[in-house]
Amino acid sequence: MRTSRWAVLAYVAIIIFGCLAAVPSVLTPAMREQFASVLPFKPVTLGLDLRGGSHLVLEVDGAGLQKARLNSLLDDTRRVLRGERVSASSARISGNSVTVNVTDPADREKVLPKLQELAAPVGTVGFGGSAPELDVTANGDVITLDMTEAGLADRMTKAVEQSLEIIRNRVDQVGVAEPLIQRIGSNRILVQLPGLQDPTRLRELLGSTAQMSFHMLDQTVDITQPAPRGVDILPGADDGNKYPVESRIAISGERLEDAKVGFDQRTNQPVVDFAFDSLGARQFADITRENVGRPFAIVLDGKVLTAPVINEPILGGRGQISGNFTVEEATVLSALLRSGALPAPLTIIEERSVGPNLGSDSIRMGLYTGLAGFGLVVTLMIVLYGAWGMIANAGLVLHTIMTIGVLGLIGSTLTLPGIAGIILGIGMAVDANILINARIREETEAGAGAMKALDVGFNKAYATILDSNVTTLAGTVLLFWLGSGPVRGFAVTMMLGIIISMFTSVTVVRLLMREVVVRRKMKKLEIPSLFGRVPHLPTFSFMKRRYQAIGFSAFLSISSVILFFTPGLNYGIDFIGGIQVEAVSKDKIDLPTLRHGLEELNLGEVALQDFGGGQSVLIRVQRQPGGEQEQTAALNKIKDAVTKAIPDSTMERTEVVGPTVSGELARSGFLAVGLAMVAILLYIWFRFEWHFAVGAIAVLLLDITKTVGFFALMGIDFNLTAIAALLTMIGYSVNDKVVVYDRMRENLRKYKSMPFSDLIDMSINQVIARCIFTSMATALSLVPMAIWGGEAVRSFAWPMIFGVIVATTSSIYIGGPILLFLSRWWKDREASRSGAQQPGAPAA
């Protein structure tokens, strides 16, 4: 079939556009500036695991937000009661409601409409509707004010949006370049900060509510006794003292207009100079004028920063916060005060940081392993197809370049697992070329001319390529939907790789091969290997040994299930929560000393893994009892212990995953695996027949159990990267089955009277070379990554190699027998049904 000139021009334009989009990603920053006007494209953004930086996920405290709203609602209710001359003491907080006890019916009639006015409409329900923030009801003498779901959701939305702006202000004021701050989900905020290796100060900056207020001290109260009504005993921020602070706020922190770092002229110590707005300045002047000689407390988030004595009236609206501050602490405090208070506390539920040295090592490693994997695949294609393999390799080069270009165009972030996805995509893209060349060889052997063999070979291979790629896409789409962070980066590169390979392998390679055939005026299209004519593999009868094959497969799967329970999977911190720190030293690390220092912290089970010639150590600590704050506190203790045991150490990588995130990641990971299998089942059922779909899922379950057993046997970390490997293996395994099933379906139309067992044997023998060659290409692309890829991708590469081997053998030895069993069972069932319906048939 001849391709129109306009189609060829469109293909060329797409290729040129994709290649130009990839150019900025390989240029230095100076060269990008030089060619910015010519190349308007942006380079691929590198993830934090490649360039270093910190990743924090913060969650708005819903309970704290609701409590704050109830307190403000109580104040509003009492204001209404006082306005109507009704006792305000009858209003109180009861559970998640505010209740008012009004015994006088006349007072109730006056108060109820006023309280109902507090229920402002919020949110959007359906098509432009709204719902009240409060549900105000009267039951006898009691009026109840309940927050509605719409009210809570509206409060949360506003709190997250306000928190986003405050966080942006705080981050900008401490000078972090190119921050990524965005909302994720309904109540979470993602903060990514490139180049920031130690996020300790930033954690304090983002996690602090920064609710500042000014109070008088009650010097008549004994702090060793219970505080009387109207007084709170608050701790000092740094001095360990306790202060009797009046509960009534003298001046709210909302009246602050500016705050900046300064230095005390007497001691030269860092201080924070602040200024009030006009109303705050008048309030400050009145308070200092009326309370000369009394201490005045400055309170931040429930702790007393300082409590100086008022020596004289301060009329200018300016003051100073002094303490044992370092310059960094004073900078953080001034930034907190300038940006304002958060509407609700933020809890850091996930924290990951990567040092710049480790990031540059990851880039170098990814580049080397990628080139090595690409070189092995290219070599295999030349060995298998000789000069025609070079055309397939040209398609692979275009595939890789365009993948990088599209990643830059869509603004995707390239992570280390993303590099693994590109490398794996190269290996899997070869599958289409192997299918096409195998089909062309078959047509040539059947006596077709060069052009006919080319067209028919591509047309027959296309349906198989489409089916196999759709099943692989099912897993990657679910991985993107349910995954997070770097694993999503892997899913994006895999999805792009699959889609782009459809263009390069089916369209570009076809045009190039057609051009060679036309220009050389070839009558017959021979595709020999590098060493000459390809010998035919001997024919095997796989169905004769089906019971041995299924028995051995069942034995391995049952053993894997046993391994799953004993000793079990080595779950990573993604799923069980905990802390992981990678420390590097210039000298050999003394592990016994480090272990002793960490065990003294009483943080539970501590595991040390030595690597990098004894100069690097991976520290793993179990999840701490309590919430996310306990995990962060434990991380700080671990860092101090490492610094004490290894003075010259640097923290190359830290990860903290709290119980909230770990539970969600585990659920999402296993849900993705289950949904992938359901999606594949439905697609194969739609494209083939029900017994093909059930057979594919049965074989897939056997493949999955063996791969899980491999994880348990080898003790490889089972984390999000492992889930990515499992989902990719599922896609690859079904891809393999689809190729075999597609040939069976084709042969069923040709040989309608052939026994099904013989037809299965014939079909498998026809595609066995393709299965083996595709597996070799995929495995070869992964081998360099498995050997030199490092800890971050090792839990992906080795299980994938094992999964490829298992998937290939199951496609050849297991899929056919299961399909034969299902087919015979169905025929027997139909025969028995039809026999039972015939008149006079004997009873079963």
Side-chain angles (χ1 to χ4, degrees):
M1 186 178 71
R2 189 173 182 82
T3 307
S4 71
R5 183 175 298 177
W6 291 109
V8 173
L9 289 175
Y11 299 154
V12 171
I14 291 171
I15 292 169
I16 293 173
F17 184 79
C19 292
L20 287 175
V23 169
S25 298
V26 297
L27 296 178
T28 62
M31 295 174 70
R32 283 200 295 268
E33 288 289 333
Q34 185 178 353
F35 297 107
S37 58
V38 183
L39 292 171
F41 306 107
K42 293 184 178 180
V44 175
T45 304
L46 297 180
L48 297 183
D49 56 349
L50 295 178
R51 58 175 171 167
S54 295
H55 164 107
L56 301 170
V57 177
L58 303 102
E59 185 175 68
V60 176
D61 182 2
L65 188 68
Q66 186 173 3
K67 182 179 178 182
R69 175 54 183 146
L70 285 172
N71 287 329
S72 66
L73 182 59
L74 179 63
D75 291 340
D76 292 340
T77 302
R78 286 174 173 170
R79 176 178 52 78
V80 169
L81 295 175
R82 284 193 291 267
E84 298 299 325
R85 300 182 183 277
V86 177
S87 173
S89 62
S90 63
R92 63 183 183 278
I93 294 174
S94 177
N96 293 324
S97 308
V98 172
T99 60
V100 184
N101 194 346
V102 184
T103 56
D104 188 346
D107 287 343
R108 275 201 309 276
E109 289 182 6
K110 289 191 301 179
V111 168
L112 186 59
K114 297 291 184 181
L115 292 177
Q116 288 173 338
E117 290 177 4
L118 297 176
V122 297
T124 302
V125 179
F127 297 96
S130 61
E133 180 191 14
L134 301 172
D135 185 14
V136 183
T137 58
N139 186 9
D141 295 343
V142 179
I143 301 173
T144 305
L145 293 84
D146 286 307
M147 289 198 68
T148 63
E149 291 294 329
L152 289 171
D154 183 69
R155 285 275 162 181
M156 179 60 73
T157 299
K158 290 178 179 177
V160 172
E161 290 173 353
Q162 187 179 348
S163 299
L164 274 171
E165 292 305 315
I166 291 172
I167 287 173
R168 283 195 184 98
N169 291 334
R170 293 181 182 182
V171 170
D172 289 343
Q173 288 169 15
V174 295
V176 178
E178 299 181 16
L180 172 65
I181 304 169
Q182 64 184 33
R183 178 177 181 173
I184 53 174
S186 61
N187 62 340
R188 291 179 185 174
I189 298 171
L190 168 67
V191 181
Q192 289 188 342
L193 306 162
L196 187 70
Q197 183 179 355
D198 184 6
T200 303
R201 286 292 168 211
L202 188 73
R203 197 187 311 118
E204 296 175 1
L205 185 71
L206 301 183
S208 176
T209 311
Q211 291 180 336
M212 175 168 276
S213 54
F214 299 81
H215 303 251
M216 300 305 301
L217 289 189
D218 189 338
Q219 294 177 292
T220 63
V221 173
D222 183 358
I223 59 173
T224 61
Q225 301 296 322
R229 185 176 181 179
V231 175
D232 298 314
I233 307 297
L234 299 181
D238 296 310
D239 55 14
N241 295 329
K242 292 185 178 180
Y243 297 86
V245 177
E246 291 184 2
S247 302
R248 186 178 64 86
I249 297 175
I251 307 177
S252 170
E254 295 178 359
R255 303 268 68 90
L256 282 175
E257 189 174 54
D258 189 24
K260 57 186 177 182
V261 178
F263 291 90
D264 193 312
Q265 295 180 353
R266 295 166 297 174
T267 62
N268 206 31
Q269 290 291 317
V271 294
V272 176
D273 295 318
F274 62 86
F276 290 106
D277 59 17
S278 57
L279 177 59
R282 288 197 299 272
Q283 292 176 344
F284 195 43
D286 293 340
I287 289 170
T288 54
R289 186 184 299 112
E290 295 168 4
N291 294 280
V292 172
R294 291 188 61 192
F296 188 59
I298 303 174
V299 179
L300 178 69
D301 290 342
K303 294 182 179 180
V304 177
L305 292 177
T306 183
V309 174
I310 301 172
N311 294 319
E312 58 185 8
I314 304 173
L315 307 178
R318 296 182 176 275
Q320 188 179 90
I321 304 173
S322 60
N324 297 320
F325 297 137
T326 63
V327 175
E328 287 183 352
E329 290 170 339
T331 302
V332 169
L333 178 57
S334 61
L336 286 171
L337 300 182
R338 283 196 304 273
S339 59
L342 290 168
L346 290 176
T347 303
I348 298 174
I349 59 174
E350 183 181 358
E351 175 187 334
R352 303 176 193 265
S353 66
V354 176
N357 293 333
L358 186 60
S360 60
D361 289 344
S362 298
I363 295 175
R364 190 163 50 251
M365 177 277 303
L367 184 62
Y368 291 163
T369 56
L371 290 173
F374 185 82
L376 289 173
V377 173
V378 165
T379 303
L380 178 67
M381 294 303 289
I382 295 172
V383 169
L384 292 178
Y385 305 115
W388 295 102
M390 294 301 297
I391 295 178
N393 289 335
L396 286 180
V397 172
L398 277 177
H399 167 270
T400 306
I401 293 172
M402 292 182 69
T403 300
I404 295 171
V406 175
L407 283 172
L409 282 175
I410 65 176
S412 181
T413 300
L414 183 63
T415 60
L416 190 56
I419 293 177
I422 293 175
I423 298 169
L424 179 61
I426 292 169
M428 296 183 72
V430 172
D431 178 47
N433 292 302
I434 292 174
L435 274 170
I436 291 164
N437 285 314
R439 282 292 191 174
I440 292 173
R441 280 175 173 169
E442 288 178 11
E443 295 301 319
T444 301
E445 289 175 0
M451 197 58 68
K452 182 181 178 182
L454 183 66
D455 287 340
V456 175
F458 267 93
N459 290 338
K460 285 186 175 180
Y462 180 76
T464 308
I465 294 168
L466 181 63
D467 284 336
S468 60
N469 281 338
V470 167
T471 53
T472 307
L473 269 174
T476 53
V477 168
L478 287 167
L479 192 60
F480 176 80
W481 178 34
L482 297 170
S484 64
V487 175
R488 270 196 166 189
F490 168 81
V492 169
T493 55
M494 279 297 296
M495 283 189 286
L496 287 177
I498 291 168
I499 294 168
I500 292 171
S501 73
M502 290 288 291
F503 172 73
T504 56
S505 300
V506 176
T507 303
V508 177
V509 172
R510 181 173 189 166
L511 284 174
L512 293 175
M513 291 184 75
R514 184 183 182 87
E515 190 67 18
V516 171
V517 170
V518 171
R519 287 187 178 276
R520 293 189 178 182
K521 299 179 180 180
M522 299 175 66
K523 301 295 182 184
K524 198 171 184 180
L525 183 52
E526 298 277 1
I527 303 182
S529 72
L530 184 64
F531 305 106
R533 188 174 179 83
V534 180
H536 282 284
L537 293 174
T539 301
F540 297 95
S541 179
F542 297 100
M543 293 302 99
K544 284 185 179 179
R545 301 196 178 274
R546 60 182 181 273
Y547 295 112
Q548 293 94 320
I550 291 179
F552 184 64
S553 177
F555 168 75
L556 290 178
S557 292
I558 292 170
S559 301
S560 297
V561 171
I562 294 171
L563 287 171
F564 174 77
F565 291 103
T566 306
L569 294 175
N570 181 26
Y571 289 103
I573 67 168
D574 287 336
F575 291 160
I576 60 174
I579 303 164
Q580 189 166 283
V581 176
E582 183 179 332
V584 177
S585 174
K586 295 178 181 178
D587 302 319
K588 192 173 179 65
I589 296 174
D590 185 359
L591 289 181
T593 303
L594 177 59
R595 186 184 300 277
H596 179 71
L598 292 170
E599 287 176 349
E600 286 184 340
L601 301 177
N602 296 321
L603 297 177
E605 184 179 349
V606 177
L608 302 183
Q609 181 180 344
D610 179 23
F611 63 97
Q615 295 178 309
S616 300
V617 62
L618 188 67
I619 304 165
R620 295 181 183 180
V621 178
Q622 69 181 48
R623 192 178 80 187
Q624 301 301 298
E628 277 70 16
Q629 294 178 348
E630 284 72 17
Q631 320 307 315
T632 302
L635 174 63
N636 293 332
K637 292 179 181 178
I638 292 168
K639 286 182 175 181
D640 293 339
V642 172
T643 303
K644 183 178 178 181
I646 317 168
D648 66 337
S649 65
T650 56
M651 311 294 170
E652 290 294 345
R653 184 175 67 200
T654 63
E655 296 180 62
V656 180
V657 179
T660 303
V661 171
S662 61
E664 291 175 357
L665 293 179
R667 284 192 299 273
S668 298
F670 291 111
L671 181 62
V673 174
L675 289 178
M677 294 181 66
V678 172
I680 289 166
L681 172 70
L682 294 175
Y683 183 78
I684 296 180
W685 199 324
F686 169 73
R687 289 289 290 157
F688 295 88
E689 295 177 25
W690 73 266
H691 50 282
F692 283 92
V694 175
I697 293 298
V699 180
L700 194 55
L701 285 171
L702 294 173
D703 293 349
I704 291 173
T705 52
K706 293 184 186 71
T707 307
V708 170
F710 178 78
F711 273 103
L713 185 64
M714 303 303 294
I716 298 172
D717 271 6
F718 196 82
N719 49 25
L720 277 179
T721 309
I723 289 289
L726 208 55
L727 280 171
T728 310
M729 190 278 295
I730 288 172
Y732 180 86
S733 178
V734 177
N735 179 321
D736 229 27
K737 278 55 173 182
V738 164
V739 172
V740 179
Y741 287 173
D742 189 70
R743 184 58 64 99
M744 290 180 187
R745 180 175 58 179
E746 182 181 331
N747 287 331
L748 280 168
R749 295 171 185 152
K750 283 185 182 179
Y751 311 101
K752 295 181 180 180
S753 59
M754 181 182 290
F756 195 43
S757 60
D758 295 341
L759 186 139
I760 291 174
D761 271 338
M762 181 179 68
S763 301
I764 294 174
N765 278 288
Q766 287 173 345
V767 298
I768 189 171
R770 172 266 163 201
C771 292
I772 294 172
F773 293 157
T774 300
S775 299
M776 286 176 61
T778 307
L780 285 174
S781 69
L782 291 166
V783 164
M785 196 190 330
I787 297 174
W788 300 296
E791 291 296 319
V793 293
R794 197 164 287 150
S795 59
F796 171 85
W798 281 118
M800 265 304 300
I801 293 173
F802 177 81
V804 165
I805 296 170
V806 167
T808 304
T809 54
S810 68
S811 298
I812 296 170
Y813 288 102
I814 310 301
I818 290 179
L819 198 59
L820 179 64
F821 167 77
L822 290 170
S823 177
R824 287 181 175 176
W825 172 80
W826 181 255
K827 285 183 178 179
D828 291 343
R829 182 173 176 271
E830 290 298 303
S832 63
R833 276 188 172 185
S834 60
Q837 291 173 357
Q838 291 178 1

